[in-house]
Amino acid sequence: MTPNTTPNGADRIKTVKAAWDKAPDGPKKEAALKHYQAAEKAQTAKDEAGVTKSLDAAVAALA
């Protein structure tokens, strides 16, 4: 059996925040910030599905 290597919400939030920090200013970064903030709220509410959904949206906004 292999260990679960999927990052948890807290680890993913750090990763997405690092990507957001490196992104150039502009509309993509602003959109990603809104999703990132939603992920933080979802994490506070212990809503893993909400964290994942918001972080996915943040990554897509930065792409």
Side-chain angles (χ1 to χ4, degrees):
M1 185 178 271
T2 58
N4 183 0
T5 57
T6 304
N8 66 23
D11 290 340
R12 247 189 110 208
I13 283 179
K14 290 176 189 173
T15 302
V16 172
K17 176 71 165 89
W20 182 86
D21 286 339
K22 293 178 185 176
D25 290 339
K28 288 183 176 186
K29 188 170 184 176
E30 290 174 23
L33 177 61
K34 291 178 184 180
H35 296 297
Y36 175 80
Q37 290 170 333
E40 288 182 317
K41 287 181 183 178
Q43 184 183 34
T44 300
K46 300 196 184 315
D47 175 12
E48 273 305 307
V51 171
T52 300
K53 181 180 176 184
S54 296
L55 291 178
D56 288 345
V59 169
L62 288 173

